[in-house]
Amino acid sequence: MSTLVIVESPTKARTIRNFLPTGYRVEASMGHVRDLPQSASDIPEELKKTEWAKLGVNVDADFEPLYIVPDDKKKIVRELKAALKGAKEVILATDEDREGESISWHLLQILQPKVPIKRMVFHEITAEAIKSALKNCRQIDDRLVHAQETRRILDRLVGYTLSPLLWKKIKWGLSAGRVQSVAVRLIVNRERERRAFKSGSFWDLKANLYAPKQDFPVQLVAVGGKNVATGKDFDEATGKIAKGRKVLLLDEAGAIALKNRLNGKVWSVSNLDERPATRKPSPPFTTSTLQQEANRKLRLSARDSMRVAQALYEQGFITYMRTDSVHLSQQAIAAARQCVTTMYGSNFLSKEPRQYVTKSKGAQEAHEAIRPAGETFRTPQETGLSGREFALYDLIWKRTVASQMADAQLTMLSVQLTVEDALFRASGKRIDFAGFFRAYVEGSDDPDAALEEKEVMLPSLKVGDHPVCQELNTVGHETQPPARYTEAALVKMLESEGIGRPSTYASIIGTICDRGYVELVNNALIPTFTAFAVTSLLEEHFPNLVDPSFTSKMEQTLDDISTGSVEWLPYLKKFYSGEQGLSGQVKSRDSLIDGESARTVRLEGLDDDVKVKIGKFGAYIQVGDGDRTVNSSIPQNFTPSDLVPDKIELLLKQKLEGPDQVGIHPESNEPIFMMMGQYGPYVQLGQATDAVPKPKRASLPKGMQPEQVTLDLAVKLLALPRTLGAHPDTGNRVFVNTGRFGPYVCHTKGNGDKDDNRSLKSTDDPYTITFERALELLSQPKTLRGAAAAKVLKTLGKHPSDDEAIEILDGKYGPYVKHGKINVSLTKEQSVEALTLEEALSMLASKSGKTTSKRTKAASSETKKTTTKKTTTKSTATKATTTKNAATATKKKTTTTRAAATKTAATKK
């Protein structure tokens, strides 16, 4: 008899096995084994006709949740039950946060063990931590389970009540969420600010001076005792100097006149200032700050940061990565201080051990900050890690070690210089003692390079000195609109407002991108037209649900439920039921919300007669009324900020007057038109006719504007596709062309086979690429794109049955394993980096048992017919009896499971 230990993932199971004594068997649940139904097919047959089952929560029976075992978890449950038969004891060792507590509770409900049960929690997967956790097991914390269950029910109520209203009024497939909708509103509001922003212009002067042994730059700050206007002096709403600001606004003519007046005049040092400054190290990472810094430094998305951190935790390299706390244990402080002494010297060590205080509300997901695991910290080079795992561990190691280092000591330098009545200033800083900068500089990968950038030295000067002006220039400026949110900035805002939990930010950002509310372009989150429409509807009819302060109070209430200070059932009833509850509000507002108005997007700066609407096939512009209405599709790559009057005029002009003619093609004598299509601007050779329904077209290169296209350029663009030669294996055509996703080479297979395409690299030019280079690209493994063609994250090896590759791809809803036509999604607990070939084969085998192609089904059907003819009546009767017994057993089992769940829910209440 063994002790059965259950964790979430195979990686975590493998790591823990190394630290457990003999007689312990470790199995993985692969995350949650039960959840609310995700679709109608998940609902038990006997409940399909009940209205509440579609919601997954029986609001009329004290919000009783309907838990089911998803199809992809049934095999895992069977395996866990089989492992339980030989166990003398069960230890539930899921993660220590609310989610982990909930997983353990669900395992307990579904396995119903007859042997003793213990709950084991630990903050890191090391020998010492596991040994200590075994000695200090506890029972499942019902308060944490209640808090997590209430959160899950609340999210389901919001999503499943509001989303159908959005489908009805705006567009099918949209979704709303308790935190998701607030995050979208923040991004939309920032875009509104950008559209409302009015740019202002101002000029100033910059000079390059020379003092003994050194050049240094200076900038104009005042003329005649009056400060020169800078960007901060402008009103964003008007683009003019804000009221009450008494500054001198220089235009180009004024700046040139001032430059001419000052040229050749004597410069004098009028004032020197040196001020000491101290910089203290940042606290060690929390979930939120890790996501922010990984996004800034490593360009990792919040979702990728958490995936990599999960893998590092499960392999025993870092402590638990879902935490609000900046606290470090005494063991961690000692390990960090030892690293400082060894790596940098004792003079870089802080005089006293630093302990940081957590400021986040309700910081209780874990007890310690994210740090390297163990009593001693392995340096990044000692881990054997590579790629993103190495980069993230390096970041965590540096931040933790730096937190115990001495302050950085700087001297801030300032020099004022006068030339006639103009005042210039030069600023610099000197690093007197690098302190923690030696290990970690916020926002920089290389501390040494960052130190050079941080230190801006000025020459040795004294009052009365006369530096020589080597160059004096006028410089024009335009004020800039508020910057869009990056993932790091959005995470910081959500946390500061108390919206959601840091552990959910990665999935929230991933969801709003996947659902088409936001596009991530160059690390900036840009809202779509759909996001504007949905946000406007929620603001007008359900303002509380997108109010950050309301959502923050809701989050606090959920935290209070976990401490027992608030009762969960009265809170859910108040939120959802009655006329003022969410359900009543949705029903009462359904008839008040006009669908046509809801589908209309209001954008700052557009004429009243120009409307932007959400249609079945995307956003479009509508101008005029009645019979004079003109509609024009908005290209998919247009963002709300792109939709300025000039662009609208171009779209409408093409619709009303036809496209502009660029010129006549020198070879074919056909006109070349500039067109605007679904995916942006393109040139077209000739008119579309019955004889030629699809004339030759070519998209403009990324970033090129229609007005930049000349006749020569248009002819060049239309030269594609170019035939490069015949493929040596098939003799079929190889050509280069450009498409929606950029230039590519193609090998036409023929005989009904799909053509073979490869995207060109950034160094390849489609107009000059050679046949040999095209063959080289075609010989490389294919990298897929999008949902049906996703990026290959990792190749695990070949399948033993057919030698075809088994790969992990990055799909629309996260990473998944692919072999041939079989795809299996990774669970939340599985990581790309840690998944092995053996685990992938097991996942594929489980899925392939349920996935049958049409051809296989047909063959199976034919075989079944043949077998039926040869089977005796006795065999048929036996089979029918067996099937009936199995169905009865299944029905009995379903009823028992549901009864047990109902009984448990009643007990909890």
Side-chain angles (χ1 to χ4, degrees), residues 551-568:
T551 308
S552 177
K553 290 176 185 176
M554 186 187 299
E555 201 66 52
Q556 184 59 51
T557 303
L558 290 171
D559 286 340
D560 292 340
I561 290 171
S562 70
T563 63
S565 56
V566 171
E567 292 294 328
W568 67 280

Side-chain angles (χ1 to χ4, degrees), residues 232-243:
K232 64 183 180 182
D233 295 310
F234 283 79
D235 185 342
E236 294 185 353
T238 63
K240 301 183 182 301
I241 297 296
K243 289 182 179 180

Side-chain angles (χ1 to χ4, degrees), residues 222-225 257-268 417-424:
V223 178
L258 180 61
K259 172 190 171 182
N260 293 335
R261 179 162 67 85
L262 299 181
N263 265 330
K265 299 301 191 297
V266 177
W267 292 67
S268 299
L417 304 104
T418 56
V419 49
E420 291 203 332
D421 63 340
L423 179 67
F424 286 75

Side-chain angles (χ1 to χ4, degrees), residues 5 52 58 61 152 249 264 380 498 609 615 660 728 798:
V5 180
W52 70 267
N58 193 343
R152 183 74 182 94
L249 178 60
D609 64 332
D660 288 335
K798 294 183 177 180

Side-chain angles (χ1 to χ4, degrees), residues 1-21:
M1 300 288 281
S2 62
T3 296
L4 176 63
V5 180
I6 304 178
V7 297
E8 297 96 329
S9 74
T11 304
K12 189 174 178 182
R14 279 198 306 272
T15 310
I16 286 177
R17 280 192 197 106
N18 298 328
F19 306 128
L20 290 173

Side-chain angles (χ1 to χ4, degrees), residues 424-491:
F424 286 75
R425 179 180 293 136
S427 299
K429 55 187 169 184
R430 181 177 65 244
I431 298 175
D432 302 313
F433 176 65
F436 73 92
F437 283 164
R438 185 56 63 194
Y440 182 87
V441 178
E442 194 91 15
S444 175
D445 292 324
D446 184 353
D448 291 328
L451 287 178
E452 292 177 10
E453 292 174 6
K454 277 186 170 290
E455 190 165 60
V456 181
M457 296 300 296
L458 294 176
S460 179
L461 296 166
K462 61 182 183 295
V463 175
D465 282 353
H466 302 293
V468 177
C469 179
Q470 295 183 318
E471 189 177 17
L472 181 62
N473 295 311
T474 59
V475 183
H477 306 274
E478 293 284 335
T479 57
Q480 298 300 311
R484 290 188 175 102
Y485 283 107
T486 61
E487 287 200 35
L490 182 62
V491 166

Side-chain angles (χ1 to χ4, degrees), residues 279-283 350 354 356 399 401-408 436:
R279 297 287 183 270
K280 294 183 178 296
S282 300
S350 62
R354 295 184 189 271
Y356 297 87
R399 177 92 163 211
V401 170
S403 73
Q404 295 302 313
M405 293 178 73
D407 295 344
F436 73 92

